[in-house]
Amino acid sequence: MPFRFKCLFIKYLELNYPKMENNQEEQNKSSLRETILAAGAILWRKEPFASDIAVIHRTRYGGEWCLPKDKVQLGETLEKAALREVKEETDCVARIVRFASVIDYNVKRTKKQIFYWHMEVVDESKWDEKDVEVDQIVWLDRK
């Protein structure tokens, strides 16, 4: 994880999860465990910030169009999770250009945080629908 991002991430955690008295900490541990971490990408096809971006259609949850993303697996870094999801959902090998943003929202009573990176395609294979969750990929023109 790049040093600058680590500092921002630690600051983010400090602001959102301040230190508490031991008894409060024990009471709130379950809610902290319920935060779902996910990672994804704004995947640029040719030149970052000046070309097409990938949008996928997921069959899950009634169908949705979104950027490639999914949950971080145990022991996986946010960056590795984002790169894995890009490969799984688009069949593209990508490289991280820079951090993009974090999105927070609630799913029922659980907080979800999605960390996004700008990525550029290094190798684009022919997409073959092998991911059971994704049934389409569309490259949207930036213009």
Side-chain angles (χ1 to χ4, degrees):
M1 187 180 298
F3 179 75
R4 182 171 179 266
F5 179 72
K6 272 187 188 174
C7 293
L8 290 171
F9 186 67
I10 290 168
K11 190 65 171 171
Y12 175 81
L13 290 176
E14 288 172 350
L15 291 171
N16 288 287
Y17 304 109
K19 293 197 179 206
M20 301 172 228
E21 299 296 323
N22 281 343
N23 59 350
Q24 284 181 313
E25 191 172 329
E26 290 302 316
Q27 292 170 1
N28 291 327
K29 270 187 180 176
S30 62
S31 65
L32 292 177
R33 279 191 221 127
E34 292 176 9
T35 299
I36 298 168
L37 290 179
I42 300 168
L43 182 62
W44 298 91
R45 193 175 215 169
K46 294 176 185 141
E47 184 182 340
F49 314 105
S51 61
D52 302 347
I53 63 167
V55 180
I56 60 168
H57 184 261
R58 293 172 179 258
T59 54
R60 225 168 148 187
Y61 311 118
E64 67 176 355
W65 287 96
C66 62
L67 298 170
K69 65 166 175 56
D70 210 345
K71 295 178 191 117
V72 176
Q73 295 176 355
L74 188 63
E76 189 174 44
T77 66
L78 293 166
E79 293 95 334
K80 285 191 180 184
L83 288 164
R84 175 182 51 78
E85 284 305 318
V86 163
K87 179 63 179 158
E88 286 178 7
E89 295 180 342
T90 68
D91 268 348
C92 292
V93 175
R95 78 168 187 87
I96 294 175
V97 175
R98 72 176 190 207
F99 181 73
S101 187
V102 179
I103 297 174
D104 298 321
Y105 61 93
N106 293 324
V107 178
K108 298 180 184 172
R109 293 183 180 200
T110 303
K111 183 176 182 178
K112 186 166 188 176
Q113 295 179 308
I114 307 172
F115 293 78
Y116 285 100
W117 281 264
H118 289 283
M119 293 188 194
E120 69 178 332
V121 173
V122 174
D123 182 31
E124 183 179 354
S125 301
K126 185 175 190 279
W127 186 73
D128 66 2
E129 253 185 276
K130 64 184 170 190
D131 189 304
V132 291
E133 286 184 24
V134 176
D135 65 350
Q136 288 182 63
I137 178 172
V138 175
W139 291 93
L140 298 179
D141 188 334
R142 179 183 163 271
K143 300 171 188 168

